[in-house]
Amino acid sequence: GGEITVGARAAPLGDRHLLLLLEDRTQAKRVEAVRRDFVANVSHELKTPVGGIALLAEAVLDAADDPEAVERFARRIKVESTRLTRLVQEIVDLSRLQAAETPSDPQLVDVDEVVQEAVDLMLTLAEGKHMSFRVSAAEGLYVYGDGSMLVTALTNLLTNAIAYSPEDTRITVVARRLEDVVEISVSDQGRGISPEDQERVFERFYRVDAARSRATGGTGLGLAIVKHICANHGGEVTLWSREGHGSTFTIRLPRAQVESDGVDPSTSLV
Ligand code: ADP
């Protein structure tokens, strides 16, 4: 029986419980504050394109007898609505990622395929700025998770590498194995990010240069999404950069061990 010790332990246990309760409350308050901030930011971010579209629609009505002006305004409405659609999609993606701790239906994912798919998706955008890719991906590297989410993480990094680099520069993508970790890095020769901003670029809606980000169709959510996708996969994303010289974003994920040589990888997960 342990009834004798109960009384003696009651006080310290009670204190500890109280402390835990208080910590819990502080944590809950912080979560609530972050949520409120996010909602406020979302409404602010949505108002800008919606307001823009409303103004442009007025302009179309006013310019009804000037077909050229009508076309010009209509095109801008199209651009703004595309941006709005993307923004809404990214807000939904981010909320889903924050709600889930891990991918819902994890699969064995071939890292080489993820890299190839992401690079293929970005080729046209890169060609528009005369930029080239150098890709080096080791074969036989696997992670466990959601392949399409990982493609999204990489395309977000590649979109930024293209957006924040001058024409005629190169983007280097390297996937390699470091013991039990798979490392995928994306390096650009762009403008780089200052040390103060490096700490903040993964925050939702944070942009170093809001006007420029907007001009390139940026939502300020790309890196927050990358961060959450990595966390969901039990990994992380880090940044190394020198202003004026370029940036390297590195994704590190736990490596899935697969028996080598001709064995169907989907049946040989260790
Ligand atoms: P955005 O939609 O604005 O690109 P992100 O979350 O993807 O949002 O990035 C946040 C900010 O970080 C960007 O607005 C930009 O200022 C900076 N940034 C991201 N990637 C790069 C990069 N490769 N080079 C320079 N700056 C970058």
Side-chain angles (χ1 to χ4, degrees):
E3 70 261 48
I4 301 167
T5 55
V6 169
R9 276 187 191 164
L13 246 188
D15 282 356
R16 216 180 304 150
H17 275 306
L18 186 63
L19 207 66
L20 286 178
L21 197 71
L22 287 176
E23 273 174 9
D24 250 23
R25 281 226 193 120
T26 334
Q27 171 68 10
K29 268 193 190 157
R30 210 175 303 135
V31 170
E32 174 56 21
V34 168
R35 199 192 61 82
R36 230 182 300 124
D37 266 13
F38 185 49
V39 173
N41 282 336
V42 165
S43 4
H44 175 81
E45 296 288 336
L46 289 176
K47 272 182 196 154
T48 313
V50 171
I53 290 170
L55 285 175
L56 287 164
E58 295 246 3
V60 169
L61 292 173
D62 288 345
D65 48 4
D66 180 353
E68 261 175 41
V70 167
E71 191 185 326
R72 203 169 59 240
F73 292 135
R75 281 189 196 287
R76 281 178 55 196
I77 289 179
K78 198 171 161 215
V79 169
E80 284 297 309
S81 25
T82 306
R83 216 181 86 78
L84 186 59
T85 307
R86 197 175 134 210
L87 181 59
V88 169
Q89 183 58 52
E90 290 196 351
I91 290 168
V92 171
D93 286 351
L94 193 56
S95 313
R96 287 214 182 108
L97 278 166
Q98 282 172 324
E101 299 208 324
T102 53
S104 58
D105 179 25
Q107 308 279 332
L108 200 57
V109 179
D110 184 332
V111 173
D112 190 32
E113 279 175 20
V114 167
V115 169
Q116 287 307 332
E117 193 177 329
V119 169
D120 285 348
L121 285 169
M122 303 311 295
L123 279 178
T124 315
L125 195 63
E127 273 164 14
K129 284 183 80 174
H130 307 286
M131 293 176 72
S132 60
F133 285 108
R134 195 165 70 185
V135 181
S136 138
E139 274 178 36
L141 272 188
Y142 294 89
V143 294
Y144 202 53
D146 183 326
S148 67
M149 273 194 196
L150 295 172
V151 169
T152 300
L154 267 186
T155 52
N156 284 3
L157 294 182
L158 293 171
T159 305
N160 285 345
I162 295 168
Y164 303 109
S165 297
E167 297 203 340
D168 295 307
T169 54
R170 188 169 58 203
I171 297 170
T172 307
V173 186
V174 179
R176 57 180 187 151
R177 176 187 162 182
L178 289 174
E179 305 207 344
D180 291 338
V181 170
V182 171
E183 195 182 86
I184 311 169
S185 64
V186 174
S187 308
D188 64 53
Q189 302 173 310
R191 51 153 76 184
I193 302 169
S194 74
E196 310 85 74
D197 287 323
Q198 286 176 29
E199 289 179 14
R200 304 206 56 192
V201 287
F202 293 99
E203 290 173 20
R204 297 171 297 208
F205 296 122
Y206 185 82
R207 298 124 160 161
V208 176
D209 177 348
R212 194 195 164 97
S213 161
R214 238 182 89 73
T216 56
T219 59
L221 291 177
L223 289 178
I225 288 173
V226 175
K227 187 175 112 180
H228 279 92
I229 290 174
C230 292
N232 261 266
H233 282 78
E236 58 168 13
V237 55
T238 56
L239 160 60
W240 179 94
S241 182
R242 252 182 80 201
E243 260 184 300
H245 292 268
S247 310
T248 297
F249 287 85
T250 304
I251 291 176
R252 289 191 190 84
L253 304 170
R255 186 174 70 92
Q257 305 212 5
V258 174
E259 283 170 30
S260 53
D261 298 323
V263 184
D264 176 6
S266 62
T267 59
S268 58
L269 239 184
V270 177

